[in-house]
């Protein structure tokens, strides 16, 4: 399935940029206490699968590891309230019944005694990588981290997220005056309400999110609508691309990039780009129910890199282990200037039940996510036997084009390029 390490095709040795990554196996210790009874899609194995495919493909051999240090209280409090931090700290001393009672007060959150420590590692890893890239020690990087962060609000955890990793990293960069203008592109299939709220009136941070915004899709409410464009000095610096249906594909994403995201990004002239890099729009994802391919994720990465080479991808969602691994590999290859080669990994997400895969047990709990794989694979939207499509030739849907045009109407007066 994986190419031999020696066969990784690079344009030429001199073209390999300095690409960093962060990964720490300890982040797997944030886990669901009810895992046996209620298997959770935010699976601790997610980061291992990405790390493993990068290792087997030979990419890690030419990438540079960055040391992770847990974020401090001071760094957390730049983005979150003290009451939020105190609540998370209180969970470190709780027993299982108290933890389950505490997590039930929040929307789609699970907790264990090590959750805050893992969240500190996750945010600390991204912060360290962003600083290395911002200061020019690295050209770009990939943060293989969990728990994710883009839903975490100033005052509460939500949506699998405890600390807002990107929010904490940006606040640190702003405090240190390392960069002036930061572009955040959030291609997780869920709207990053937490990031939006933190920078809604900040014109130095341009937030662009592509996400599903149909009935009953998380997060609920109107925050992800295209009419939410920022406030005060930040008006026009918050851009939402709200897909109104499932099944969104490469053509829709690349149409949005060509018509909206790249022109605005070039006009904004960011000093750095951070991607809220969720892979739950990928084909075979059980929650996103869309059809974005690894090739498309690689292409979007390359497009953003052409706007600003200081680019950091930070893992958010994505709940099919094969799909997130292959999609992350596509992004890593784009950062490394490795040529795309048809038939070479990334491949289409393959059909396997999780119990046949590595790490069928996490923290002493058997993980049998059979409730997921058969459901996706029965879908007519994707056949694992299909070849990965040539995404640049993909056509947008009429619904997708309509969404992009509506967004342009909302924010066009703020951007000359539109």
């Amino acid at each position: 399935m994986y190419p031999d390490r020696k066969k990784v095709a690079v344009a030429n040795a001199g073209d390999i940029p300095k690409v960093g990554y962060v990964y720490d196996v300890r982040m797997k210790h944030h886990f669901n206490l009810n895992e046996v009874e209620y298997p959770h899609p935010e699976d601790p194995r997610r980061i291992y699968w990405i790390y493993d495919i990068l290792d087997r493909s030979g990419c890690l051999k030419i990438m540079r590891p960055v040391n992770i240090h847990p974020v401090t209280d001071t760094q957390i409090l730049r983005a979150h309230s003290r009451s939020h931090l105190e609540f998370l700290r209180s969970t470190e001393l709780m027993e299982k019944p108290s933890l389950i009672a505490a997590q039930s007060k929040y929307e789609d959150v699970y907790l264990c005694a090590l959750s805050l420590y893992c969240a500190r590692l996750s945010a600390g890893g991204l912060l360290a990588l962003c600083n290395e890239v911002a200061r020019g020690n690295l050209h770009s990087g990939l943060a293989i981290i969990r728990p994710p962060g883009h839903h975490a609000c100033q005052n509460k955890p939500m949506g699998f997220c405890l600390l807002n990793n990107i929010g904490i990293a940006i606040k640190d960069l702003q405090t240190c005056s390392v960069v002036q203008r930061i572009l955040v592109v959030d291609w997780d299939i869920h709207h990053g309400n937490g990031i939006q709220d933190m920078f809604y009136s900040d014109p130095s941070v341009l937030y662009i999110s592509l996400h599903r915004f149909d009935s009953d899709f998380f997060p609920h409410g109107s925050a992800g609508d295209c009419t939410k464009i920022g406030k005060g000095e930040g008006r026009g610096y918050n851009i939402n691309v709200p897909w109104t249906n499932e099944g969104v594909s490469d053509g829709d994403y690349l149409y949005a990039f060509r018509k909206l995201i790249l022109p605005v990004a070039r006009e904004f002239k960011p000093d750095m780009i951070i991607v809220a890099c969720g892979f739950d729009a990928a084909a075979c994802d059980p929650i996103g129910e869309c059809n974005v391919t690894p090739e498309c994720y690689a292409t979007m990465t390359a497009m953003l890199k052409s706007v600003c080479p200081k680019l950091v991808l930070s893992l958010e969602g994505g709940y099919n282990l094969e799909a997130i691994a292959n999609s992350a590999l596509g992004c890593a290859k784009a950062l490394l200037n490795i040529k795309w080669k048809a038939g070479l990994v990334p491949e289409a997400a393959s059909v396997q039940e999780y119990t046949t895969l590595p790490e069928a047990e996490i923290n002493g709990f058997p993980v049998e996510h059979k409730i997921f794989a058969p459901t996706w694979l029965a879908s007519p939207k994707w056949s694992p036997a299909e070849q990965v499509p040539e995404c640049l030739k993909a056509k947008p849907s009429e619904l997708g084009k309509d969404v992009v045009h509506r967004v342009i109407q909302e924010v066009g007066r703020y951007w000359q390029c539109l």
Side-chain angles (χ1 to χ4, degrees), residues 141-329:
L142 174 62
I144 311 166
I145 56 175
R146 67 174 293 277
H150 71 152
H151 295 307
C153 302
Q154 182 184 20
N155 297 308
K156 64 178 181 180
M158 66 179 288
F160 312 167
C161 303
L162 306 182
L163 297 176
N164 198 305
N165 302 322
I166 289 177
I168 290 171
I170 291 175
K171 294 289 188 180
D172 186 76
L173 292 171
Q174 291 176 327
T175 300
C176 300
S177 300
V178 181
V179 292
Q180 300 302 315
R181 294 181 305 279
I182 300 172
L183 166 61
V184 178
V185 176
D186 189 339
W187 66 46
D188 188 284
I189 198 61
H190 302 90
H191 178 242
N193 57 293
I195 301 174
Q196 173 173 294
D197 289 349
M198 287 182 183
F199 303 102
Y200 202 56
S201 58
D202 187 345
S204 71
V205 178
L206 170 59
Y207 177 68
I208 304 176
S209 176
L210 306 97
H211 52 269
R212 277 183 61 178
F213 189 66
D214 44 318
S215 60
D216 295 326
F217 201 76
F218 186 89
H220 310 295
S222 62
D225 197 5
C226 62
T227 59
K228 305 299 182 183
I229 59 173
K231 69 178 181 181
E233 293 183 353
R235 286 185 69 81
Y237 292 90
N238 193 89
I239 300 176
N240 287 321
V241 182
W243 306 124
T244 55
N245 58 288
E246 62 183 37
V248 184
S249 62
D250 293 358
D252 300 307
Y253 275 79
L254 294 177
Y255 186 81
F257 263 68
R258 291 183 180 118
K259 296 293 184 180
L260 173 65
I261 295 170
L262 292 179
V264 169
R266 292 188 181 109
E267 185 175 332
F268 181 62
K269 295 177 181 166
D271 300 313
M272 184 174 183
I273 300 175
I274 303 175
V275 177
C277 187
F279 294 122
D280 40 7
C284 290
D285 190 273
I287 295 177
E289 300 178 304
C290 291
N291 294 306
V292 178
T293 65
E295 185 182 27
C296 183
Y297 283 117
T299 301
M300 293 189 293
T301 300
M303 286 177 166
L304 292 175
K305 191 174 159 187
S306 74
V307 173
C308 178
K310 290 186 175 181
L311 173 62
V312 173
L313 278 55
S314 179
L315 182 64
E316 292 287 348
Y319 309 105
N320 177 317
L321 298 180
E322 280 285 330
I324 66 171
N326 284 306
S327 299
L329 178 58

Side-chain angles (χ1 to χ4, degrees), residues 46-62:
R46 294 168 64 242
I47 55 172
Y48 167 77
W49 270 68
I50 292 173
Y51 178 88
D52 183 57
I53 199 171
L54 293 176
D55 185 34
R56 296 197 197 189
S57 69
C59 288
L60 286 189
K61 202 169 185 179
I62 51 177

Side-chain angles (χ1 to χ4, degrees), residues 102-113:
Q103 72 188 30
S104 68
K105 298 176 182 178
Y106 299 96
E107 191 172 11
D108 290 325
V109 169
Y110 68 76
L111 296 166
C112 69

